Amino acid sequence: MSVQDSSNQQLVGVLYRDHRDWLFGWLRKSLNCAQRAEDLSQDTFVRLLGRADLHSPREPRALLTTIAKGLLVDQFRRHALERAYLEELALAPEAVQPSPEEQALALEQLAEIDRLLGQLSSKARAAFLYNRLDGLGHAEIAERLGVSPSRVRQYLAQGLRQCYIALYGAPQ
């Protein structure tokens, strides 16, 4: 274990000791569910442990709140995506519905694609979704976004790259 890792663990330990009860209370009040609050508070500290560049924050509660809110937004997006997938799946005839294992894999892949598309700029993400979900062409997308058709092509390439990474991993 490196000195940096040990330092991060000690700092997270101090933050956990000093602010865990406060974070749990804040989340429980916000979520009205003690179990979800417990899970989210633990996930917040796990996220801190994964940071390589952790320094003692001036406002620890603001940092913890920001991380917890981000995790909560990710959770809501994941649940909305799962719900939409399952609703569409329910419309398909039983004979063509995937097995539960295939459904779980598809949901994991959708969540990963969603996460990676979330890393794009808002215009690149919008261009990709306009093209793939709404079937719009380059000119229509360019007009909606106020950019050139060649810029739309770049945005679509960025979106396709993120999908490739989600399905096959980053290219070497």
Side-chain angles (χ1 to χ4, degrees):
M1 178 183 312
S2 73
V3 173
Q4 180 68 30
D5 291 342
S6 177
S7 173
N8 281 359
Q9 285 181 353
Q10 289 176 349
L11 179 55
V12 172
V14 169
L15 290 170
Y16 187 87
R17 184 190 68 231
D18 294 348
H19 302 286
R20 186 253 173 228
D21 290 339
W22 171 84
L23 180 62
F24 172 72
W26 180 80
L27 287 166
R28 193 170 85 194
K29 189 173 77 172
S30 299
L31 298 172
N32 275 337
C33 178
Q35 292 166 328
R36 285 187 62 209
E38 181 66 39
D39 289 344
L40 201 55
S41 67
Q42 294 302 320
D43 290 347
T44 300
F45 288 102
V46 168
R47 178 71 56 97
L48 277 175
L49 281 171
R51 288 181 119 175
D53 62 341
L54 188 60
H55 302 289
S56 185
R58 286 189 319 212
E59 300 289 335
R61 290 183 177 182
L63 173 66
L64 294 171
T65 302
T66 300
I67 293 170
K69 283 180 180 179
L71 290 169
L72 192 57
V73 167
D74 288 347
Q75 195 175 64
F76 283 137
R77 287 177 63 196
R78 199 170 35 254
H79 288 294
L81 188 62
E82 184 175 330
R83 204 171 31 256
Y85 172 72
L86 293 175
E87 287 171 3
E88 285 298 315
L89 198 57
L91 299 175
E94 254 185 73
V96 296
Q97 288 191 2
S99 71
E101 295 83 15
E102 291 170 324
Q103 289 179 29
L105 268 173
L107 285 170
E108 284 179 27
Q109 289 175 334
L110 282 172
E112 182 63 8
I113 289 169
D114 181 56
R115 184 186 71 74
L116 289 167
L117 289 178
Q119 295 175 356
L120 297 174
S121 70
S122 60
K123 284 189 176 185
R125 186 173 45 258
F128 185 78
L129 294 175
Y130 280 146
N131 180 259
R132 295 299 163 167
L133 299 180
D134 299 332
L136 298 182
H138 294 142
E140 289 176 287
I141 296 169
E143 188 176 314
R144 284 190 182 194
L145 298 179
V147 297
S148 68
S150 63
R151 189 68 177 143
V152 169
R153 279 191 292 283
Q154 292 172 351
Y155 288 153
L156 295 179
Q158 291 171 11
L160 287 171
R161 182 179 192 284
Q162 295 300 79
C163 290
Y164 180 92
I165 290 169
L167 296 173
Y168 305 110
Q172 299 299 325

